[in-house]
Amino acid sequence: MTRLFKTFAAGAAIAASLAAVPAFALDDSQKKEMGAFIREYLIQNPEVMIEVQNALEAKQQAQRTDQSTKAVAANKDEIFSSPNDIVLGNPKGDVTVVEFFDYNCGYCKRAMSDMDDILEKDKNIRFVLKEFPILGPDSLAAHKVADAVRILAPEKYPEFHRELLVGQEHASEATAISVATELGVDETQIRKTMTEKPNDDVVRQAYQLANAIGITGTPTYVVGDEAVFGAVGLQQIEEKVGNVRSCGKASC
C-alpha cells in the first residue's frame, strides 16, 4: 500500500468519524493533530483543492441554472412578449432569443456581432432587446432616451441601438439624443416623451426579472427555458437555439 493511499485512507476514515462525532467531542490536542494531518495531506496533494473548487463551481452553476429555469418558466410573458421591448429578426420566428443589455457594457458592444451573425444566418429567429441599465447614471439616462425613441420612432430604434451601443465610446443622455436627432427624431419630442412617459416602470420590470432569474451582469441571454450568462459567443447561442428546436429545451 503506497503512502499516498494510506494517507487518503486515513483521511477518509477521519472524515467518516467526523460525520458521526460532533466537533466539540475533540479535545485541543486531537484538533491540532487533525489540523496537522489535513495540512500535510493537502500540501502533498494540492490537486485536491482544484477538484474541490471545480466541484463548488459546478454546484453553484447547477443552483444558478435551476433558479433561472424556474424564474423563466414563471415569467414567460414578461421576458418574451413585453410590449416595451423591440423585436428584431422574424417577429414570428420559431425560437426567441432575449438579450438583457446596457449601453455602456463593453461585452455587449463586442457581442453585437453575435446578434448580427445569428440574424443573418437564421431567418427564423426572433431576437428581443431588453434594456437593462445597470452601469450608472449615464446608462440610465441613455436608456431613457432609447425608450423615447422606441415610442416615437420604433422603425428607427434598431439603427439607433446599433449606433449608440457600438458607435459611441460612452453612452449618456447627450450622446443618445445626438444619435437620435441624427436619425431624424425631434429632440423636443424626445424630451417631452421622456417627461410625460418615463421608462421607470420598464426599468423596474427589467430589474425584477433580472433579480428573479439571477442576472448580475450584461449581456445575459434567455433562450427557450434557460438563461445564458455572459458574452458566450455565437456558437453557444446557436447550440441553445438548435436544442430548443430539437427537444424543446435549451439543454437537451
Side-chain angles (χ1 to χ4, degrees):
M1 183 182 291
T2 65
R3 186 169 185 273
L4 175 59
F5 184 81
K6 289 179 180 178
T7 304
F8 180 82
I14 290 175
S17 65
L18 283 176
V21 180
F24 62 77
L26 301 176
D27 61 30
D28 290 342
S29 177
Q30 289 171 321
K31 291 178 182 178
K32 185 176 181 180
E33 183 179 354
M34 182 182 297
F37 167 78
I38 293 173
R39 181 176 183 277
E40 180 185 1
Y41 177 77
L42 292 177
I43 289 174
Q44 293 182 8
N45 303 278
E47 66 275 8
V48 170
M49 299 304 295
I50 298 175
E51 293 175 11
V52 170
Q53 180 64 28
N54 290 340
L56 175 61
E57 291 176 356
K59 181 178 180 180
Q60 291 174 332
Q61 182 57 44
Q63 292 172 336
R64 191 180 192 189
T65 299
D66 182 63
Q67 173 192 349
S68 68
T69 300
K70 290 177 180 177
V72 169
N75 297 279
K76 283 186 176 181
D77 288 344
E78 292 85 353
I79 295 171
F80 295 106
S81 304
S82 172
N84 301 314
D85 299 331
I86 288 290
V87 177
L88 305 180
N90 185 346
K92 297 182 179 180
D94 65 336
V95 178
T96 298
V97 176
V98 179
E99 180 186 355
F100 286 74
F101 73 95
D102 183 299
Y103 278 117
N104 280 313
C105 165
Y107 293 105
C108 299
K109 294 176 187 294
R110 291 192 285 274
M112 172 70 83
S113 62
D114 296 331
M115 182 190 77
D116 288 342
D117 288 344
I118 196 169
L119 289 175
E120 177 64 28
K121 294 165 64 176
D122 192 332
K123 300 304 181 182
N124 211 19
I125 284 290
R126 180 175 177 270
F127 202 104
V128 174
L129 295 172
K130 191 169 289 291
E131 303 206 17
F132 183 46
I134 58 171
L135 296 177
D138 278 350
S139 286
L140 188 59
H143 280 272
K144 285 182 179 294
V145 177
D147 193 60
V149 172
R150 175 188 65 82
I151 294 170
L152 293 169
E155 74 285 356
K156 295 182 179 181
Y157 182 99
E159 189 175 354
F160 167 88
H161 171 77
R162 173 179 299 282
E163 178 58 31
L164 186 59
L165 183 61
V166 179
Q168 301 292 319
E169 189 170 317
H170 183 76
S172 64
E173 179 179 297
T175 57
I177 288 179
S178 175
V179 170
T181 54
E182 287 175 4
L183 294 174
V185 187
D186 183 74
E187 181 176 349
T188 301
Q189 290 299 312
I190 292 173
R191 295 191 179 281
K192 180 180 179 182
T193 302
M194 290 169 62
T195 300
E196 296 179 351
K197 298 180 180 179
N199 69 335
D200 298 346
D201 290 341
V202 176
V203 172
R204 188 177 299 112
Q205 184 189 65
Y207 288 170
Q208 290 171 344
L209 288 174
N211 184 60
I213 296 170
I215 297 172
T216 57
T218 52
T220 293
Y221 303 91
V222 179
V223 186
D225 62 334
E226 191 176 302
V228 182
F229 302 97
V232 296
L234 177 63
Q235 182 178 352
Q236 187 168 332
I237 297 173
E238 288 182 321
E239 287 176 358
K240 298 293 183 183
V241 170
N243 287 340
V244 172
R245 285 180 175 143
S246 63
C247 72
K249 297 182 179 180
S251 298
C252 294

